[in-house]
Amino acid sequence: MKTLFMLLLFCHVSSTVKHSLKYFLTATSGVSNLPEFVGLALVDEVQVGYCDSNIKTVELKQDWMRDFMKDYPKHMEWYIQMCFSEQQSFRANIVDLKQRLNQTEGAHILQSMDSCEWNDETGEVFGFHQYGYDGEDFIALDLQTLTWNALRQQAFTTKLRWDADKDRLEYNKYYLLHECPDWLKKYLHYGRSFLQRTELPSVSLLQKTPSSPVSCHATGFYPDRAMMYWRKDGEEHHEDVDHGEILPNHDGSFQISVDLNLSSVAPEDWRRYDCVFHLSGVEDHIVTKLDKAQIRTNWVSPSEFPAGGVTGVVVALLLLLVLCITGLFIWRKNNNGFRPANRVKCP
């Protein structure tokens, strides 16, 4: 499994010519303090547009995207129209799903992702479009057969109805393999100075408690084509290592963590370990020695814990529990969510 992980990570690092345009749409029912509908647009995993049912407009998140819309005002009108038309469609779909699944109460969430990818070296284009409901994959478009795949038994009725809509199927195919890549290429032209930049991260050693694994955490790097690993005596080390995913930051940069469990390592052997970060396209590596004095932690020993702090800890734990429960409603992008059901190369 570790060998497979490193192989996949290497492939991710080496794919320096693949670009993507993704749209994430989310509708909620019975979820308080959240808009009923949210839409996100991302270019190469960088958020460029946002709309929701509360603000009733489209917000552009990058200066270069604003420049683009000034030159293509009709495209901005398309974004606004799409936001409101999809809002109505999603509202109807979530009502229909609740009725068919006999869900009369509770919180429910419907999400979709449609995306195109373009390899600027080979010219290959891929597209995929899929939906998730209540945190699970629901239905996905198969561009090879131009039919919908029901990913849950409850989606079979939807599949039959959507398969019968031939005009919609043909439009989805044309959009994903032609229109979407054409706009992606235009976006990349306007955002090239931003999207083609390289930024090195700050790297820190973190540890929750003295018995917890030591986390090597890198944040603020760009692009997301990077790898990080632990070494022992100068050799790559896999035992008791947990590799985290590359995650986005709010400013368009990325972060990653790799944990090392030192429970079976003698303190005098810690100096044999170091953490290595490598950003694709950058020759130098960032090497961080495992030095106990450099580990950052917010852990306080019981003897140093103030009695008056107990209430604050209880409140913090309750807030964390609420956040965790809220997070369960979000369709995850890893493992079970947003997996490309199929890819079709544009002829």
Side-chain angles (χ1 to χ4, degrees), residues 25-49:
L25 306 178
T26 303
T28 60
S29 174
V31 181
S32 59
N33 300 322
L34 286 178
E36 290 185 351
F37 177 82
V38 173
L40 297 176
L42 297 91
V43 175
D44 284 358
E45 308 300 334
V46 174
Q47 185 179 344
V48 298

Side-chain angles (χ1 to χ4, degrees), residues 66-111:
R66 297 184 186 96
D67 293 337
F68 174 86
M69 292 301 182
K70 289 178 182 178
D71 292 340
Y72 294 88
K74 293 289 186 181
H75 198 59
M76 185 65 178
E77 294 177 10
W78 176 81
Y79 262 85
I80 296 173
Q81 181 181 0
M82 184 182 71
C83 180
F84 288 104
S85 63
E86 292 292 349
Q87 179 179 333
Q88 301 303 320
S89 175
F90 268 60
R91 181 180 290 123
N93 284 336
I94 202 169
V95 169
D96 177 65
L97 281 171
K98 288 170 60 180
Q99 290 175 347
R100 286 200 284 112
L101 300 178
N102 196 27
Q103 298 170 330
T104 58
E105 58 185 20
H108 301 282
I109 183 167
L110 173 66
Q111 294 177 283

